Structures are given as structure tokens and as C-alpha cells.
Amino acid sequence: MAVQEQRKTGEKTVDCDILVVGGGIAGLSLASALAGRTDVLVAEAEPTLGFHTSSRSARQLIPSYGPAVIQDLTVRTLALIRALEVHLPKPVLTARSFLLVGSEESVRDRASGHMHPITPAQMMALAPELKPGHFPAAGLDTTSVGCDTDALMDYHRRRILDRGARILTGAPVRSACREAGGDSNGRWVTEAGEQSITSRVVVNAAGAWADELADLYSVRRRGLQPYRRTAAVVDVEHPLADGAPMVADADETFYYRADGNRVLVSPSESVPSAPMDARPHPGDVAALVELVNSVTTLGITGIVRSWTGLRTQTADGLPVVGYDDVVPGFFWLAGQGGYGFQTSSGLAETAAAMLQGEEPELPVAEALSPARPGL
Ligand SMILES: Cc1cc2nc3c(=O)[nH]c(=O)nc-3n(C[C@H](O)[C@H](O)[C@H](O)COP(=O)(O)OP(=O)(O)OC[C@H]3O[C@@H](n4cnc5c(N)ncnc54)[C@H](O)[C@@H]3O)c2cc1C
């Protein structure tokens, strides 16, 4: 991806107020919200930002997707992104509705304020590539949008650097200890790559590695489980029309959307994985091509590229955001699952308020608390 030019500090020991570990959309959005308000530093293990899950998404923001807390965060994120778009040469968001297809029951289960039922005839008018007889019911979310996720991350990267905050890449956090005892006045000393970083607070925005990072700080894990999800860009005989909605099966066996003249497809799988640089299983993509060709007239003729990312979730499916309830100065920002972009600015705003001792705009602190039951 095109996110580059980080500022290196050149010194062996650096000091900051808040160290954010992880340079994906979560860490970058938060550092962007904090930059200029406090001395923040991002440490990313990889040489480039967004290398893991954040460069592997389907780039769609869907207000009707997920539990109520996620939907509220998504609506707030859309408003915040629309406000920042005025600073960009072209919009980050583009109109692209979300069409959910399936049985009466499975579509009804996903109904919400943002998704309204439509008739089979309306479904066929919106997605004429669907072969008749497979999907008796459909719901439409017209508030859903596509998102240029690279441009969004690049906006946050520039905002961080422009406000004098720092980003270190190639800086894997390998060990940490508490200076001056374990009380709330102590500071963290974190070894990241060649750097020794002292900070008042450490933010865990380490994506699939969030529980492993907690181990390094002797913080109790929160059961954050990464799940594989694969996507591919394919050539098709019959490209989707301009303005075509993203189409998803309510039983989560596939989704697709236009990608220029090509089509992005996913088998929507959720298979547990260890944290890693995940890669597609060739059989999964071949089976997906067969499935999509059987239910649509798209006519997939070849796979241009395919990739796999890890969507990391807690047991209740909600992110974990807030100060650890036992270890002082350790703040969680993890478990965004399949909602990391659509909740990014809302979560960053919430986390930034908590870190600055302010009341968050959205009343989600309790629902996302690291101390909630079941984690
Ligand atoms: C196929 C697929 C489709 C998706 N589609 C969508 C979508 O349409 N809309 C949406 O909202 N979401 C979508 N998602 C989910 C979204 O991509 C994720 O929720 C989001 O990218 C997670 O961001 P993150 O910053 O938490 O994680 P990451 O991007 O993985 O960032 C975490 C970073 O932490 C770094 N790190 C880890 N350990 C350390 C350490 N010890 N030291 C330093 N750095 C460390 C890693 O190198 C990594 O760069 C999709 C995901 C997948 C896989």
C-alpha cells in the first residue's frame, strides 16, 4: 500500500506521553485524534503501515452490519470521515448500497434501522446478475458506502506527522517493564526494535497480536481470537453496472462487489487462526468461484489476485476499549473484527476522550470495557 515516509527519531531512547503499539487503521486513527493534544508515538513492527489486516479489507462501511453498539459507532465514523474529507483532494467515501440476500428468516434476522426489506422484483432490478430461485428475500441498506481505505490511512499518517507526533516502523515491541514500581505514577519502558521508549501510557492496537502484546506487559489476556477471511479480485464475462450494490448472502457463504471492471469476491469464511501473515488456501478460492458462478451470471473467468486477513474478535463480538482494570497505564484498543474501518473514527474519538479524562461522545464505554463480564 501507498503509506510511507515515516519520521524516524534517530535516538536510542525516546520519551512520549502515549505509546500506541500497532500501525493499522486502529492505531493510526487514535494517534491522529491525539496528535497535537498530547505527545503520541506509534510503534509498528512491519516496515510499512497497514501491512496486516488493514490492507486486506473489502473497503465497505455498512451501518446495518453488526450489533447496535457497532452500528452506532459506524454512523458516527461516517459523520467524522465526511467532516475530514474536506481536507482531501478527493472524497474517501463513495456511494455503494449494501444488498443482503437469503431466506426470509436469515434476512429478517439482520433487519435494523438502516436495512429495509425489498421485494424479489426490486432485488432483481438492483442485482440482475442473480440467478432466479436462489434467494427468496432481500434487504437493502442505502446508507452503506465504499471507502478508499488507503487514502484514509494516509490522511491519518499525515495528520500525525503534521502535528509533530512520531511514527516508528520496523519497530516490533519485544519486551516491556514498569519503571519506578507498578503504581499509577510509574512509567512504561518498552523495547521496540532498536529503540527504548518510555511512556506514561501504552495503547494496545496490535490487531491479531493484541493478546500476545498483553502478555509482554503482564496484562491478562481478553480471549482475542483471530479468524481468517479471504478475498479475491476476479475477471468476469459480465461486469457489474456502475452504481451496483455490494451483494452479500445472509448465511455468510459469499459476498461480492464491483472493483472497476472486475469483481471483488469473498467466501466470508471465519476460521480460527494463530496471529500470522495469513495467506489464502487455493482450494477456498476455487470453491468460491464455483459457488458465485452457480448463483450469478457474472461468469468468473480468472483470479487476478487473492489475499487473506485476520479479523480478531472477543467472545461477545465487541471490541475491547479502555484502560485495563488491573494494570495501570495499559489501554486496550483491539477486537474490531470485521468492523475495523467502519468503526475506526468513532472508536478513535471514544478512546482519545477516555485517554484524556473526558466524557466520550458516544455512551459505549461500558459495552466495550475490558472489565465487562465474559472477557
Ligand atoms: C477480507 C477482509 C475484509 C474486511 N472487510 C472490511 C470492511 O469492508 N469494512 C470494515 O470496516 N472492516 C473490514 N475488515 C476488517 C478490518 O480490516 C479490520 O477490522 C481492521 O483492519 C483491523 O485494524 P487493526 O489496526 O486493529 O489491525 P491491523 O491492521 O492488523 O494492525 C495491527 C498492527 O499491529 C502491529 N503489531 C502487532 N504486534 C506488534 C508488536 N509487538 N509491535 C509493534 N507492532 C505490532 C501489526 O504489525 C499490525 O500492523 C475486513 C477484514 C478482512 C480480513
Side-chain angles (χ1 to χ4, degrees):
M1 65 168 300
V3 175
Q4 286 294 341
E5 303 161 31
Q6 294 83 46
R7 194 176 292 168
K8 301 247 176 199
T9 69
E11 299 153 25
K12 277 258 176 227
T13 305
V14 285
D15 186 67
C16 62
D17 185 37
I18 297 180
L19 167 64
V20 177
V21 181
I25 185 61
L28 292 175
S29 315
L30 174 61
S32 166
L34 288 169
R37 297 165 74 187
T38 186
D39 182 13
V40 61
L41 186 152
V42 178
E44 164 54 47
E46 300 290 347
T48 51
L49 297 170
F51 176 83
H52 286 286
T53 311
S54 295
S55 57
R56 306 177 194 202
S57 89
R59 303 169 178 228
Q60 184 82 10
L61 316 186
I62 311 168
S64 57
Y65 185 35
V69 174
I70 295 295
Q71 296 193 11
D72 291 347
L73 284 160
T74 302
V75 170
R76 181 71 187 150
T77 296
L78 285 177
L80 291 167
I81 295 179
R82 288 207 166 96
L84 70 79
E85 274 183 324
V86 299
H87 303 293
L88 294 170
K90 62 182 179 123
V92 172
L93 305 179
T94 48
R96 184 166 57 221
S97 298
F98 177 73
L99 177 65
L100 189 71
V101 298
S103 65
E104 299 277 355
E105 193 186 5
S106 56
V107 170
R108 198 174 41 240
D109 285 351
R110 295 269 299 270
S112 77
H114 304 285
M115 172 155 312
H116 61 273
I118 58 170
T119 64
Q122 288 169 321
M123 172 184 80
M124 292 308 294
L126 285 164
E129 72 282 359
L130 289 171
K131 287 185 183 165
H134 288 285
F135 305 108
L140 185 66
D141 180 348
T142 54
T143 62
S144 182
V145 289
C147 177
D148 183 341
T149 54
D150 283 354
L152 182 62
M153 283 194 284
D154 199 50
Y155 164 82
H156 290 309
R157 178 194 66 86
R158 277 188 290 107
R159 192 170 194 280
I160 293 165
L161 298 180
D162 287 352
R163 280 166 176 67
R166 291 163 287 177
I167 301 175
L168 294 178
T169 51
V173 170
R174 293 220 170 86
S175 64
C177 65
R178 196 98 176 126
E179 202 177 50
D183 66 14
S184 53
N185 297 319
R187 288 177 71 79
W188 290 110
V189 182
T190 298
E191 304 301 329
E194 318 221 310
Q195 231 96 30
S196 188
I197 304 165
T198 57
S199 63
R200 180 177 62 85
V201 175
V202 169
V203 175
N204 181 355
W209 288 267
D211 264 350
E212 291 194 354
L213 191 80
D215 290 345
L216 295 180
Y217 290 85
S218 301
V219 170
R220 179 175 68 80
R221 289 181 167 224
R222 293 303 194 278
L224 286 154
Q225 173 64 56
Y227 293 91
R228 293 169 58 82
R229 180 153 294 190
T230 301
V233 169
V234 295
D235 281 322
V236 292
E237 280 171 36
H238 307 291
L240 291 161
D242 279 352
M246 179 174 186
V247 177
D249 162 33
D251 291 330
E252 302 216 37
T253 61
F254 70 85
Y255 62 73
Y256 61 81
R257 65 156 174 83
D259 189 71
N261 273 339
R262 293 173 165 148
V263 174
L264 182 149
V265 289
S266 169
S268 300
E269 86 277 31
S270 265
V271 179
S273 167
M276 62 166 73
D277 182 5
R279 300 293 162 95
H281 299 153
D284 288 354
V285 182
L288 169 66
V289 168
E290 202 173 310
L291 172 65
V292 174
N293 278 342
S294 73
V295 297
T296 72
T297 56
L298 288 169
I300 298 174
T301 52
I303 298 159
V304 179
R305 60 180 181 278
S306 61
W307 63 90
T308 299
L310 298 178
R311 305 171 359 135
T312 300
Q313 283 174 227
T314 58
D316 62 15
L318 292 180
V320 52
V321 181
Y323 277 109
D324 191 81
D325 49 332
V326 173
V327 177
F330 189 88
F331 191 97
W332 291 87
L333 180 61
Q336 291 86 342
Y339 320 115
F341 280 96
Q342 65 180 59
T343 59
S344 57
S345 298
L347 282 179
E349 178 188 60
T350 303
M354 289 177 180
L355 284 161
Q356 301 221 294
E358 296 162 5
E359 194 62 35
E361 180 76 23
L362 288 179
V364 293
E366 204 180 321
L368 306 182
S369 167
R372 68 187 186 259
L375 285 200

